[in-house]
Amino acid sequence: MNGISLRLPLLATLLGLALVMPARAEEAYDPWPGLVQDIFANRPMHDGSDVIGIEMPYRAEDAAIVPVTLRMKLSPGDSRRVRSITLVIDRNPAPMAAKFELGPDANVTEISTRVRVNNYTDVHAVAELSDGQLYVSKTYVKASGGCSAPAGKNAEEAQSRLGKMRYRQFSRADEAPASRIREAQIMVGHPNNSGLQMDQVTQLYIPAFFVNQLRLTQDDSLILSMDGGISISEDPNLRFTYVSNGAKYFRAEAKDTDGHVFRNEWAVEKPGT
């Protein structure tokens, strides 16, 4: 009996280690080096703390709509500009969430959107500057299940809103009435199905169906464009700042993975309104 009683605690300890070790191994695994190779062809990465800022909640309230804000941090005296920003959610099934191209004359300084986060993960923002160099910043988010979370709208409601766009322009209290700085928001009605969500009636997976391109211009001059993937939340939403070139119209064009093209335009409000 003494031998058996001695072996039981040992067996319990070994079983506990067997359960804990795979979890710790998973936590210790860092996918980022492989993503640098796959997405950026192993190009050198520089510290981006003075170039690009990334803000997300440390613990997400809803993993399917996690807010993320990207801020340009180049000093006013820096002659370089940010050409593009790639947003990478390391542990998502499709880690490259979006790539933003910035218009050369739009002086975009801030971009906010909403993303799905599927696991506790690092999130990287990689800025490519006009000198051809890459600069990276990162943050950490605790969230899970965002890519497989059920859609917020039923199929009929989502279809009725497909491609409908809303545009808002915000006044900025910190700017003079004659300022050319604008803050605007565009939303595209779209289910943005990830391909990992399950139909609650049929118990079958809903095919991936999402907005993969969005282009925003003032008249015909590029403000910014987005190549998006399954990590962008339902009803893609961008809020951003830019400098007006005096254009009369704000224009948006979106394309999805089924080949639909959606377009709209709005008259630009006068400065300070």
Side-chain angles (χ1 to χ4, degrees):
M1 289 294 294
N2 287 342
I4 293 174
S5 62
L6 288 173
R7 286 197 297 270
L8 286 175
L10 177 60
L11 180 59
T13 300
L14 292 174
L15 286 172
L17 287 173
L19 291 172
V20 170
M21 288 177 64
R24 288 182 177 172
E26 173 65 20
E27 291 174 3
Y29 169 66
D30 182 7
W32 179 241
L35 296 173
V36 172
Q37 177 177 344
D38 294 343
I39 300 173
F40 304 99
N42 265 341
R43 293 171 61 188
M45 294 277 174
H46 305 286
D47 177 17
S49 57
D50 294 328
V51 175
I52 180 75
I54 177 170
E55 297 176 10
M56 299 178 75
Y58 178 68
R59 186 180 296 276
E61 292 184 10
D62 186 337
I65 47 171
V66 183
V68 54
T69 297
L70 306 169
R71 287 193 172 89
M72 316 316 133
K73 299 174 68 176
L74 287 176
S75 65
D78 198 317
S79 61
R80 301 170 299 172
R81 71 173 186 87
V82 178
R83 284 180 178 167
S84 69
I85 304 167
T86 303
L87 180 64
V88 181
I89 305 174
D90 294 18
R91 292 179 181 268
N92 269 15
M96 184 172 163
K99 182 174 182 179
F100 301 95
E101 298 282 350
L102 279 55
D105 302 314
N107 194 25
V108 173
T109 55
E110 185 174 310
I111 303 171
S112 297
T113 189
R114 304 175 305 187
V115 295
R116 297 173 169 128
V117 178
N118 214 51
N119 294 286
Y120 287 24
T121 184
D122 285 327
V123 180
H124 288 83
V126 179
E128 180 171 6
L129 267 56
S130 52
D131 62 5
Q133 299 297 307
L134 299 181
Y135 296 81
V136 61
S137 295
K138 74 173 182 178
T139 190
Y140 187 79
V141 178
K142 289 186 173 183
S144 60
C147 292
S148 58
K153 301 176 179 66
N154 61 41
E156 289 184 4
E157 184 181 359
Q159 186 63 35
S160 70
R161 293 167 49 82
L162 190 69
K164 291 184 178 179
M165 296 183 181
R166 293 177 59 190
Y167 165 72
R168 297 176 65 193
Q169 181 176 303
F170 303 90
S171 61
R172 293 173 59 90
D174 58 335
E175 298 294 338
S179 172
R180 295 167 57 223
I181 297 175
R182 297 282 192 274
E183 183 173 358
Q185 183 179 37
I186 184 80
M187 189 192 77
V188 183
H190 204 285
N192 253 40
N193 297 326
S194 67
L196 301 172
Q197 297 152 307
M198 185 174 289
D199 187 302
Q200 301 302 302
V201 176
T202 66
Q203 296 297 297
L204 299 175
Y205 284 102
I206 302 168
F209 174 46
F210 55 90
V211 172
N212 56 355
Q213 293 180 36
L214 179 61
R215 180 179 174 86
L216 308 176
T217 63
Q218 43 184 335
D219 285 345
D220 295 320
S221 178
L222 178 67
I223 299 174
L224 66 89
S225 65
M226 180 188 78
D227 289 338
I230 67 169
S231 296
I232 299 297
S233 300
E234 182 179 3
D235 295 332
N237 184 318
L238 292 181
R239 183 164 175 164
F240 52 94
T241 59
Y242 70 101
V243 170
S244 169
N245 64 359
K248 294 182 178 180
Y249 292 96
F250 178 94
R251 296 186 172 119
E253 179 182 275
K255 299 179 181 179
D256 69 21
T257 51
D258 275 13
H260 300 115
V261 179
F262 313 106
R263 297 185 180 94
N264 210 334
E265 70 176 28
W266 301 264
V268 176
E269 299 175 22
K270 294 180 181 180
T273 61

